[in-house]
Amino acid sequence: MNVSTYLDAIDMADPYKRYGKVLRVVGIMIESKGPAANVGEVCYIHPAKNRNSPIISEVVGFNNEKILLMPYSEVSEIGPGCLVESTKKPLTVKIGRGLIGKVVDSLGNALDETPLPKGLTHYLTEQSPPNPMLRPPIEKPIQVGVKAIDSLLTVGEGQRIGIFAGSGVGKSTLLGMIARNSSADINVIALIGERGREVREFIEKDLGEQGLQKSIVVVATSDQPALMRIKGAYTATAISEYFRDQGYRVNLMMDSVTRVAMAQREVGLATGEPPTTKGYTPSVFATLPKLLERTGTNEKGTITAFYTVLVDGDDMNEPIADTVRGILDGHFVMDRKLAERGHYPAINILKSISRVMNQVINSTHKQTANEVRSLIAAYEENRELIQIGAYKRGTDKEIDRAISYYPKIQSFLNQDIYDKSSLSESIEQMMDVLNGR
């Protein structure tokens, strides 16, 4: 037995525990003198009144020898002189199969206040994206269970999709349909910046018991500090990565990535970053690719990701929507006009695209989908003329054909919330529509 190794370890060990002291609190930012800590490490702030309940915070910056901290909870108990203790470690959460069917917060704690099951593994919330040369190409379609998507916007295993919509157009309902009907092994659902009222509604109505049985839900409501909302996105992505590395086909659904960007803007402004594009700080546009690139394929499994993007006033060119659309492998646009007509899910087929669709479908499917798209386009281009009766039948064969097929196509694309349709059934029904069956 080599005793010298142990003696060397004892010599190098620091027997003193060093603390810092809170100097000031400005908004959501806490400034302390010491302790020695690096950016990204977790620290405990010990309130003067209740030292047994430390407040967890994270180092987000420093100014000379002063540490800039941001808490994961409210700062109401923090005062000048409160002790700050460094853990010397970044945030980790407990992950494992025992989490399936659970609803947890951004730190991985069960929201129903029950103890977590045993046998879970500690896992870092911040990971690097897979090496691009080790990412297998996307070659297989994955069943989403929504006819409009499976037939005309087919999604591949490991694809990343943005769902762009204004408020109240049916994003959460669509995510619930995907979670229940998809052929993925596990769903990881991140509800970031949601109203507290909507969390239970989504779990009980949109997701349902059937969906929850193969899902893990991560919740960070809008009333929580900015850092908790950001960590909610990172925790959900880390859980997805853990199961992908076990060889599972994972669905990650995040509602919404816009609120993650807004939380990052709050952190950036608090640390002194200049507001640049429409008030967003540079760190927002650096964080988004790092977060979104972590999903997709690797040599062990796949994460098929669906990110909802809130578009203010249905403006598809606002900065976050534009950035996210450039990073992801496709986008589904939800149209308020379709929702107002009672057409659900309100996906605008002509404005939506799946960039890997042609890689994962056969030539017959591709030809049929292109034909249906062209018929929808022909009708929509001449909608006003048709509706006011200014178009005369026989003027244009393509428009005549579009008029006769349009009601059947719309009927096919309409789907009740609890209707389930497999990938093969959706394709077959689309072909039946074109063949007049």
Side-chain angles (χ1 to χ4, degrees):
M1 182 171 134
N2 192 357
V3 179
S4 61
T5 308
Y6 294 97
L7 292 173
D8 289 343
I10 291 168
D11 287 339
M12 292 176 70
D14 187 354
Y16 294 99
K17 187 172 271 191
R18 291 171 174 81
Y19 292 90
K21 277 192 175 182
V22 172
L23 296 179
R24 66 172 185 159
V25 176
V26 181
I28 56 173
M29 186 65 63
I30 300 161
E31 196 174 286
S32 79
K33 188 171 183 181
N38 298 324
V39 173
E41 288 180 0
V42 172
C43 290
Y44 293 126
I45 301 172
H46 298 274
K49 290 181 182 176
N50 189 5
R51 292 199 173 187
N52 293 326
S53 299
I55 293 166
I56 305 172
S57 59
E58 186 175 306
V59 180
V60 292
F62 55 87
N63 182 10
N64 295 326
E65 291 183 8
K66 293 172 185 173
I67 302 290
L68 301 178
L69 299 156
M70 198 161 280
Y72 289 120
S73 56
E74 297 302 324
V75 295
S76 54
E77 294 183 359
I78 296 173
C82 285
L83 295 179
V84 182
E85 177 190 353
S86 174
T87 63
K88 303 289 184 186
K89 294 175 184 175
L91 181 68
T92 60
V93 292
K94 290 182 177 180
I95 305 175
R97 282 195 58 83
L99 274 188
I100 298 172
K102 289 273 185 185
V103 182
V104 298
D105 66 10
S106 303
L107 304 179
N109 303 314
L111 272 186
D112 58 4
E113 298 181 348
T114 57
L116 289 175
K118 293 180 180 178
L120 302 179
T121 308
H122 283 277
Y123 200 82
L124 284 170
T125 58
E126 294 200 34
Q127 302 279 344
S128 300
N131 183 331
M133 289 304 291
L134 298 178
R135 283 187 186 266
I138 298 167
E139 293 173 337
K140 288 196 293 185
I142 189 168
Q143 177 186 300
V144 172
V146 179
K147 288 189 288 186
I149 296 172
D150 281 341
S151 58
L152 295 166
L153 300 162
T154 312
V155 175
E157 262 185 41
Q159 188 175 352
R160 298 161 305 149
I161 292 285
I163 299 172
F164 293 74
S167 53
V169 186
K171 297 184 303 298
S172 299
T173 307
L174 180 62
L175 288 183
M177 289 174 74
I178 295 169
R180 288 194 310 273
N181 302 338
S182 170
S183 61
D185 302 317
I186 293 168
N187 299 312
V188 180
I189 303 165
L191 302 178
I192 311 297
E194 286 288 326
R195 304 173 190 89
R197 171 186 68 80
E198 288 183 335
V199 172
R200 195 161 172 184
E201 276 185 20
F202 174 82
I203 291 166
E204 291 181 2
K205 293 182 181 177
D206 294 330
L207 188 58
E209 196 176 327
Q210 176 195 347
L212 188 60
Q213 283 175 358
K214 65 168 189 173
S215 301
I216 299 166
V217 184
V218 180
V219 175
T221 50
S222 56
D223 59 295
Q224 292 182 326
L227 203 59
M228 278 292 266
R229 283 175 270 146
I230 295 168
K231 289 299 168 188
Y234 280 96
T235 298
T237 308
I239 292 169
S240 304
E241 288 170 323
Y242 172 85
F243 284 108
R244 175 179 65 186
D245 291 344
Q246 303 289 319
Y248 290 99
R249 294 178 302 163
V250 184
N251 270 355
L252 170 64
M253 286 167 266
M254 193 177 292
D255 185 14
S256 72
V257 76
T258 309
R259 293 194 180 111
V260 178
M262 287 176 175
Q264 183 62 45
R265 176 174 63 183
E266 283 181 48
V267 173
L269 291 171
T271 52
E273 282 188 76
T276 49
T277 314
K278 286 198 176 178
Y280 288 100
T281 56
S283 64
V284 174
F285 302 102
T287 300
L288 284 174
K290 285 181 187 174
L291 177 65
L292 304 182
E293 280 292 335
R294 285 170 62 180
T295 54
T297 60
N298 74 358
E299 63 272 24
K300 295 173 184 172
T302 61
I303 300 173
T304 308
F306 299 88
Y307 298 99
T308 69
V309 182
L310 277 167
V311 283
D312 296 330
D314 298 326
D315 174 19
M316 289 295 295
N317 298 314
E318 61 97 29
I320 299 303
D322 217 27
T323 304
V324 171
R325 193 166 53 239
I327 297 167
L328 299 178
D329 311 317
H331 52 272
F332 301 159
V333 178
M334 301 195 74
D335 196 327
R336 194 174 296 279
K337 287 180 181 176
L338 287 174
E340 287 166 356
R341 287 183 217 153
H343 179 102
Y344 287 102
I347 300 169
N348 188 320
I349 299 296
L350 299 178
K351 290 182 180 177
S352 305
I353 190 166
S354 168
R355 290 183 186 168
V356 304
M357 180 175 172
N358 291 342
Q359 294 167 216
V360 298
I361 61 173
N362 58 40
S363 56
T364 312
H365 181 179
K366 182 181 175 182
Q367 189 180 342
T368 310
N370 287 342
E371 203 170 334
V372 171
R373 269 180 173 270
S374 66
L375 289 169
I376 297 170
Y379 187 92
E380 292 296 341
E381 282 171 17
N382 299 278
R383 174 181 280 278
E384 288 183 11
L385 291 174
I386 295 163
Q387 287 184 334
I388 62 173
Y391 175 76
K392 289 183 180 178
R393 289 245 180 184
T395 310
D396 187 303
K397 281 185 180 179
E398 187 61 25
I399 298 173
D400 289 347
R401 193 159 175 262
I403 291 168
S404 62
Y405 275 102
Y406 191 76
K408 297 173 190 173
I409 293 169
Q410 292 305 299
S411 176
F412 160 70
L413 295 176
N414 249 319
Q415 187 172 345
D416 188 70
I417 297 169
Y418 298 104
D419 277 357
K420 183 177 179 179
S421 181
S422 70
L423 179 65
S424 56
E425 285 171 352
S426 298
I427 297 164
E428 198 176 318
Q429 284 178 38
M430 178 178 67
M431 291 178 176
D432 288 349
V433 167
L434 268 193
N435 296 331
R437 290 200 293 270

